[in-house]
Every structure is written in C-alpha cells, then in structure tokens.
Amino acid sequence: MSKRERRQSKILDGCLDSILTGEVTVGESLREFPGDVQELTPLLTLALETRESLEPDYPKPSFVAASIRRILSRISARQQQSRRPRAGIRPSWRWKPAQVFISLMLAIGILAISTGVVQAANASLPGDALYGLKRGLERARLAVSWSASGDMRLLAEFASTRLAELEALLAANRLGDLDLALDGFEDALFGLTGLAGGAATGLDPGSTEFILERLAHHQEVLARVREQVPEQAQPAIDHAMERSLHSQEVIQLLHMGGDPSDLAPGQTRTPPGLELTPPGQERTPPGQARKGTPTPTPTPTPEPPIPTPTEEPTIHVKDIDAYITGGRSNQQVRVTISIAMGSGGNVDGATVTGSWTVSGSDAQFSCITTGSGKCTIRSGKLPGEDQTTFTITSVTHPAYSYVPADNSDPDGDSNGTVITIELPE
Amino acid sequence: MFESQNVAHADAELISRAQAGENEAFGELYERYVALIYRYVLARVDAESDAEDITEVVFLRTFKALHRYIERGRPFSAFLYQVARNALVDHYRQQRKTESIEAAEKLPSLAPDPDESLIAKERAVVLRRALAELPADYQEVIRLRIMLALPTTIVGEWLGRSEGAVRVLLHRALKTLRRQLVGSI
C-alpha cells in the first residue's frame, strides 16, 4: 500500500460521509483537495450512484410487527418446553424378543447404508449435494463435545477441513466455490475465538498446543493457496489470513494467562513474557476462577470509594506496548495503549489518536479504550522497513482531561507518548 | 445509532436482561437492529420474501446463542452481522439445490414505480452485475459502506479490520468496480 493510496483512501472516506448524507456534492467535497479531484471524482460519483441505485429498502412495518410476535411466541414455547418435567415420561411399551431382533436388523441396515453415505459426505466439497450432511455431522460432533476445550479443538479441526476443501476446490478449478470454503473457515475461527473468551477459566496445555499448531498450519496453507488463486481472489485469502492471525493472538494471549476480552477484533497482542496481571490486581472476570488459581472466598462487596471533590479528573497514558507480527515481507506492528486516571483506575471510552512515522506517513489512527483501559492500533504492513515510531498525538474523553505530562511506561520501552520499534533484519 | 457509547451500554443492559430470561428485552434488541439486519440481508439476496425469512432466522439464532454471548468491546451489531452471514451461507447452499442458475440471476424489481425511468433501472442492473463480479470482500465493503452507509468504524468492527484497512479496501473496491463498468460498456 503506497502512501498516496493511503492518503487518497482517507480523503475518499471523509468525502463519502458528507456526500452520502447529502450535505455536499461531489465537487464541493473535493474542494480542499484539488490535486485529487481528477482521480477521486469518478469514484465518488460511482459511490453515489451505487447508493442511489442499490440502497436496500427498509423492512415493511407489517413484517416487523408480525416477525417479532412470531419470534417471541417461539421463544416462549421453547422456554415452556424446556421447563416441562421429563420425569413423567414413561415408555408405554415393553421390549419383546421379536421386536429386539427386527430393531437390531434395522439398525444394522441403517448403519451399513449410513456409513457409506457418511463416507461419501466426508469426501464432499462445498457445492456438492452431500456437503450439507458433512457440515451437519460436524455440528453433531460439536453438540456432543463436553467441554469448551473440546469444542475449540473441533473448531480448529473443522477450520483445517475447510482449508483442505479450499485446496481441493482449487485443484478441481472450482473457483466459484472457494468463497464457501473460506466462509466456513472464517466461521469456524469466529466460533473458536468466541469460545476462547468463555474458556478463560482454563484451556488445557494440550488443547492450546493443538490449536496453535492448527492455526500455524492454516497460515501455511493460506499462503500457499494465495500463490495459486487468481488476483481477484487474493483479498479474500488475505482476509482469512487476518482472521487466522487474530485467532492465534487470542489463543496465545489466553495461553499466557491474559484475558481475550482485552482484544479488539484483529487488533492486539500482548508481548510474550509480559506480566498480564498487575501485582495485586485480579483480572479474572467476576464469577470465574482461572484454572490453577484458588477460588477466593466470597467476601461482602465493599462500598465503592466516594471520590473526593478535590480529585482532579485527569487521564494519562499508563503504558504502551508494541509487538511485531508477520515475516519480513508482511510485518506489522501493533501498539497497545493503556489509559489510566490520575488515581490509577482504568479508563473506558477514551479515544486515543496517534501517527506512525513510516516512510514519512502522516496518517492519524485512532482507537477507543475498553473496560480494561486498553486499545490497540495497527501499523498496517511494513515490508522492508527497519524501524517505525508511533506517537500519541491526543487522548480525548467526554469526562476527563488528558495530561500528557503524566504519561509513563513502566517497561521503559517508551516515554509514554512515543515508542520506537526496531524491525527485524 | 452507532456514534454513542451509550448505545453500547444500553445494548449490554438489554442483552444481560435477555440472558436472564426477560423476553421483552430481546424484543427491544430486535426493534433496534431489525432494519439494519434486514437491509444488509436484502442487499445480498434481492428478494424481499427471502430477506424477511432470513432476518427472522437471524434473530431466532441470535436468541438461541445469546446465553453464550460475552460482550468483548465489540458492538452487538457485529455479532448479529456474523449470525446473518452464517444464515446467508446456509441460504445460498439451500438455494443451489433448488434453483437454476437463471433463477438465481433473476434480478429484483428495483423500480416498482412504472413512471420511473427504464434507464435508471437498467443502470441498477448493470451496477449489480458489475458488483457481483468483484471479489467477495470488495462486494462486502461496498454493501456496508456505500449501500447501507455504515460508518467506517462499524464496518471495521463487522469485518474485523482496522479503519485504515477498511478505507483502503473501499478505495480499491470502487476502483475495481469502475474498471468493471468501463469494461462492460
């Protein structure tokens, strides 16, 4: 991605906001960018035309009203069904020898037929008639899995299967079906990362290793496939790769004892070896004990401290951490910024803005802190760069004032405002 | 709907109440997001009746999955979007079995008003066809950012990409769409 492309993308995006709402015309929106008028006018005009021609309608009020009635009624029916006691169900028949024999024969027959069908289904590819059965069987395996670890292993395995299908489709030149395999792959990883949050109470080391090994394998396969697919299909492969990298980060963070809820989607990673839980602070979600950690005895919740009127409502940068991902050709840097109050508490909802100094780029990037007080900004790919610097230019919050002079970094890898990252040779 | 942190807090409260079994809270979530999800689905399936069916499936599936939902700083709409995408994959798979290619390519009546210009309708058909020729992620960013006019932040949350990546993706998508259209003339 060139600097020019990044700059034009930003202008295009900014102009779109005002054009799509009808505030200004295409020409008016580009008035401040005379050097880009020639290239961006046709794109903005096309965007406007696409919006006007293809904007989807709103749902009919009659559908909205009827649909919610149907949904709530089905939900109620389901809830009533699940509340119904099962103890009262008693079989009204008894086994007889003839029935046993017939049932056994039937079961053997069904098993013989279904084994053949299942084998055929397992060999099917997206778009084949038996593919639905294959996915159905996978869902059944998930349903009978007893633990989150088991579910996650299965999902990692299913993601591998999707990639095997992707390669088979490619070999068969069935390019039109590649999307289905990629969608399935991303769905599996989406489920995997979703479960990772719930599994924060403990993912056994064996499962973690298995999943990380699968994810590394996925990235190898995707890189291989990317070389073989037509150029038009490469962005979809890149997207799948991004999803895989994000899943890897989530699992690694979990493995290190971190909390995946700190991760914005595709946004962050904590450096290996970094102490994720500050001394004296328990990061385990309420009601959940981390594996290997003694469950604390519940104690009465103390009254929250009443802020004294003299307390300054200020915020500052508490920490900046950087991490490098990817190889030399596609390396990226991610910085995680922690924002704290003057009193030390984490700040939710602060907007952090900063810029990367990569080949003279002046682009500004922002992120919003979550409840952990953290958010992450990515550099984008930096092929061939030797180093990059990220500078925090502003921190805003609706209720607090930012005091840059208070910025700090306990690791010493930054001064709390600027961090320089040396990229590997 | 998207700019305020209050929306996220209100959603979190509704989700928590719905998880505790309060169906009215889920009804409120439905009312908040039904138009958004319906319009996204309609942008992908053309036929209103399909969009209605799939939207309903999305909310039913969401309800079923709600007890597993953990708020992780992502908007609830991103979760709904993922459920909608899965429902659409199932729909396409089902459609392949029942419809011929000709039927699948049948275009919707975009201009029900008989006075509306035939040229505009034809242009919409051309645009839709050109859009369908683009790589999946180009199509998706145009649907979300242009057709639904979602803010870049939300598109990023939905697609799991940074805002910068969304901007570049959109720029490339529009350039490719333009090339497709120029080539088709």
Side-chain angles (χ1 to χ4, degrees):
Chain A
M1 183 201 318
S2 69
K3 184 187 164 193
R4 179 179 169 77
E5 184 182 28
R6 204 180 309 155
R7 196 181 71 86
Q8 285 202 333
S9 303
K10 206 174 173 188
I11 297 171
L12 178 83
D13 196 62
C15 292
L16 267 177
D17 282 331
S18 44
I19 291 170
L20 293 179
T21 52
E23 290 169 34
V24 294
T25 63
V26 171
E28 286 166 350
S29 74
L30 286 169
R31 198 165 285 159
E32 288 174 33
F33 312 100
D36 300 291
V37 168
Q38 199 178 347
E39 276 185 70
L40 294 185
T41 299
L43 299 185
L44 287 167
T45 308
L46 175 60
L48 193 60
E49 189 189 2
T50 305
R51 163 90 170 154
E52 284 168 358
S53 301
L54 302 182
E55 183 189 356
D57 287 337
Y58 280 82
K60 291 178 193 147
S62 56
F63 158 72
V64 173
S67 171
I68 188 60
R69 269 201 308 274
R70 278 194 298 269
I71 289 171
L72 290 177
S73 140
R74 285 182 68 173
I75 289 170
S76 299
R78 182 188 297 274
Q79 286 166 337
Q80 278 168 11
Q81 206 169 15
S82 64
R83 282 186 208 121
R84 202 170 292 153
R86 288 168 182 267
I89 302 170
R90 279 184 312 197
S92 58
W93 42 265
R94 306 182 80 178
W95 283 107
K96 292 177 185 167
Q99 284 175 333
V100 170
F101 178 75
I102 291 165
S103 302
L104 200 61
M105 288 295 102
L106 272 173
I108 289 168
I110 290 167
L111 190 67
I113 294 164
S114 60
T115 304
V117 174
V118 166
Q119 277 174 354
N122 281 335
S124 66
L125 295 173
D128 291 348
L130 284 175
Y131 190 68
L133 176 59
K134 182 180 185 176
R135 297 294 295 272
L137 289 168
E138 287 180 356
R139 281 195 286 271
R141 287 179 66 192
L142 263 181
V144 296
S145 161
W146 290 96
S147 64
S149 286
D151 286 355
M152 289 167 73
R153 287 176 77 114
L154 279 174
L155 286 166
E157 191 186 315
F158 297 159
S160 300
T161 307
R162 297 292 86 78
L163 291 189
E165 290 164 1
L166 187 72
E167 289 199 291
L169 289 168
L170 196 58
N173 204 26
R174 286 170 55 182
L175 302 181
D177 291 323
L178 295 183
D179 272 352
L180 286 174
L182 282 172
D183 276 348
F185 171 75
E186 292 197 26
D187 287 347
L189 292 192
F190 184 79
L192 180 67
T193 46
L195 280 171
T201 49
L203 180 61
D204 63 87
S207 296
T208 307
E209 271 176 35
F210 172 82
I211 293 165
L212 286 174
E213 183 271 321
R214 287 289 84 200
L215 289 167
H217 175 67
H218 297 161
Q219 286 151 28
E220 282 170 27
V221 176
L222 286 168
R224 191 164 62 229
V225 168
R226 195 182 188 281
E227 297 299 313
Q228 299 168 43
V229 296
E231 198 181 339
Q232 284 195 335
Q234 287 178 352
I237 304 288
D238 291 344
H239 191 258
M241 179 70 93
E242 242 180 68
R243 176 67 72 187
S244 175
L245 286 166
H246 175 59
S247 303
Q248 193 178 29
E249 288 159 12
V250 170
I251 303 300
Q252 278 174 344
L253 187 64
L254 193 61
H255 186 47
M256 291 187 298
D259 185 343
S261 64
D262 291 346
L263 290 163
Q267 287 285 305
T268 185
R269 184 181 220 173
T270 305
L274 175 75
E275 192 184 357
L276 288 157
T277 309
Q281 281 184 32
E282 181 53 71
R283 286 160 49 95
T284 308
Q288 291 182 24
R290 205 176 292 287
K291 192 179 182 182
T293 315
T295 309
T297 310
T299 51
T301 311
E303 285 297 319
I306 299 162
T308 55
T310 53
E311 190 180 355
E312 275 293 313
T314 64
I315 54 174
H316 63 274
V317 177
K318 188 173 75 171
D319 193 10
I320 312 178
D321 286 315
Y323 194 75
I324 303 163
T325 60
R328 179 76 176 156
S329 61
N330 63 348
Q331 60 193 357
Q332 293 186 11
V333 178
R334 300 169 183 214
V335 289
T336 300
I337 304 112
S338 303
I339 304 294
M341 294 189 63
S343 56
N346 296 331
V347 177
D348 185 6
T351 303
V352 182
T353 305
S355 61
W356 295 94
T357 52
V358 179
S359 305
S361 164
D362 55 356
Q364 296 280 315
F365 296 84
S366 294
C367 62
I368 298 173
T369 57
T370 60
S372 64
K374 292 179 184 176
C375 68
T376 298
I377 291 176
R378 288 197 293 194
S379 67
K381 293 193 175 82
L382 305 166
E385 298 288 343
D386 296 323
Q387 72 167 42
T388 183
T389 299
F390 182 76
T391 305
I392 295 173
T393 50
S394 76
V395 179
T396 56
H397 191 281
Y400 309 121
S401 308
Y402 172 47
V403 180
D406 291 348
N407 289 355
S408 64
D409 189 333
D411 312 326
D413 50 359
S414 81
N415 63 3
T417 305
V418 181
I419 185 167
T420 300
I421 304 105
E422 300 293 334
L423 299 168
E425 290 296 319
Chain B
M1 179 191 288
F2 300 109
E3 289 77 6
S4 166
Q5 289 282 316
N6 293 337
V7 171
H9 292 148
D11 279 356
E13 196 197 323
L14 287 172
I15 291 161
S16 168
R17 281 168 50 203
Q19 284 172 329
E22 203 178 313
N23 294 346
E24 292 73 18
F26 187 74
E28 279 187 54
L29 283 169
Y30 171 90
E31 280 174 13
R32 272 173 187 245
Y33 291 107
V34 64
L36 181 62
I37 295 302
Y38 170 87
R39 295 178 74 229
Y40 167 66
V41 172
L42 184 59
R44 293 196 56 168
V45 299
D46 303 335
E48 270 181 26
S49 56
D50 283 346
E52 289 179 353
D53 289 348
I54 294 167
T55 303
E56 203 161 311
V57 166
V58 168
F59 281 93
L60 274 168
R61 285 188 186 179
T62 300
F63 181 82
K64 280 188 207 166
L66 205 60
H67 68 282
R68 293 200 305 268
Y69 177 82
I70 303 168
E71 200 275 328
R72 251 184 279 279
R74 282 184 89 188
F76 182 59
S77 64
F79 178 72
L80 285 170
Y81 166 71
Q82 196 59 45
V83 178
R85 277 195 62 180
N86 293 345
L88 281 161
V89 169
D90 290 346
H91 169 76
Y92 292 139
R93 195 176 294 140
Q94 192 64 34
Q95 200 180 38
R96 272 169 191 246
K97 292 178 193 166
T98 54
E99 280 191 16
S100 64
I101 292 168
E102 287 78 10
E105 283 180 349
K106 192 179 153 197
L107 292 157
S109 108
L110 291 164
D113 182 351
D115 293 336
E116 215 170 83
S117 112
L118 189 63
I119 294 168
K121 194 172 173 182
E122 279 175 359
R123 183 64 180 160
V125 170
V126 170
L127 268 173
R128 196 177 284 268
R129 286 210 172 120
L131 189 65
E133 293 294 315
L134 300 185
D137 55 349
Y138 284 7
Q139 290 185 38
E140 195 69 341
V141 77
I142 288 177
R143 272 186 212 111
L144 301 180
R145 184 74 182 99
I146 308 286
M147 290 163 64
L148 295 178
L150 294 180
T152 307
T153 331
I154 293 295
V155 176
E157 295 277 14
W158 284 22
L159 298 181
R161 293 179 184 235
S162 67
E163 284 183 50
V166 171
R167 285 197 287 262
V168 171
L169 187 68
L170 180 69
H171 189 194
R172 290 178 183 174
L174 283 171
K175 281 206 278 196
T176 313
L177 179 63
R178 182 158 180 264
R179 276 201 298 273
Q180 292 271 10
L181 288 165
V182 171
S184 71
I185 291 169

